[in-house]
Amino acid sequence: TIEFTGALHATIVKQVRLKNPSNNTLAYNAILLGRDADDFSLPTGNTVTVPRERQGFITVEFTIRFLRPAEAVLILISNKLDGIDGATMTFSLKSEVKNIEPHGVVKCRSPCYEL
């Protein structure tokens, strides 16, 4: 599970690190699915290539728009590269509002009651 916690209207960016211990390059396509999948985005694109014996990253971005928790699933599906398939991976994405910051304060004077 990847948790996105922060203030209401905050944008949170997380990176998923993918390690490749094999001697072959791996490539993955990323898909976001679920109830709130439209609120999550992949700003660096939906593909990632992981060189042999190295690591790669895929970035997931989320802006907290509602007080209720948002949920989605990130699925990484392997592309055949060098004739090798990697394992399909899934990650649960969840959000939580930790605090609410006001955008501004408005002061005004008005009579409370008039006849």
Side-chain angles (χ1 to χ4, degrees), residues 21-70:
S22 75
N23 290 325
N24 299 305
T25 301
L26 297 175
Y28 287 94
N29 283 335
I31 301 170
L32 293 166
L33 298 173
R35 178 184 75 189
D36 301 306
D38 292 340
D39 294 329
F40 293 87
S41 67
L42 303 166
T44 56
N46 65 337
T47 59
V48 62
T49 302
V50 187
R52 62 188 186 104
E53 298 179 355
R54 294 246 171 106
Q55 57 190 7
F57 295 90
I58 189 152
T59 304
V60 181
E61 186 176 275
F62 176 71
T63 300
I64 301 176
R65 299 186 310 139
F66 303 106
L67 291 175
R68 68 166 174 77

Side-chain angles (χ1 to χ4, degrees), residues 18 20 22 24-31 46-50 75-90:
L18 305 170
N20 181 4
S22 75
N24 299 305
T25 301
L26 297 175
Y28 287 94
N29 283 335
I31 301 170
N46 65 337
T47 59
V48 62
T49 302
V50 187
I75 301 175
L76 297 173
I77 301 170
S78 175
N79 280 344
K80 266 194 175 176
L81 202 62
D82 295 340
I84 300 296
D85 265 338
T88 298
M89 296 180 276
T90 60

Side-chain angles (χ1 to χ4, degrees), residues 61-114:
E61 186 176 275
F62 176 71
T63 300
I64 301 176
R65 299 186 310 139
F66 303 106
L67 291 175
R68 68 166 174 77
E71 295 179 358
V73 175
L74 171 66
I75 301 175
L76 297 173
I77 301 170
S78 175
N79 280 344
K80 266 194 175 176
L81 202 62
D82 295 340
I84 300 296
D85 265 338
T88 298
M89 296 180 276
T90 60
F91 300 89
S92 175
L93 309 176
K94 295 187 179 187
S95 75
E96 182 181 357
V97 176
K98 287 291 187 182
N99 62 334
I100 301 172
E101 298 288 331
H103 282 285
V105 177
V106 176
K107 291 184 178 183
C108 64
R109 279 184 190 244
S110 174
C112 290
Y113 175 77
E114 287 185 31

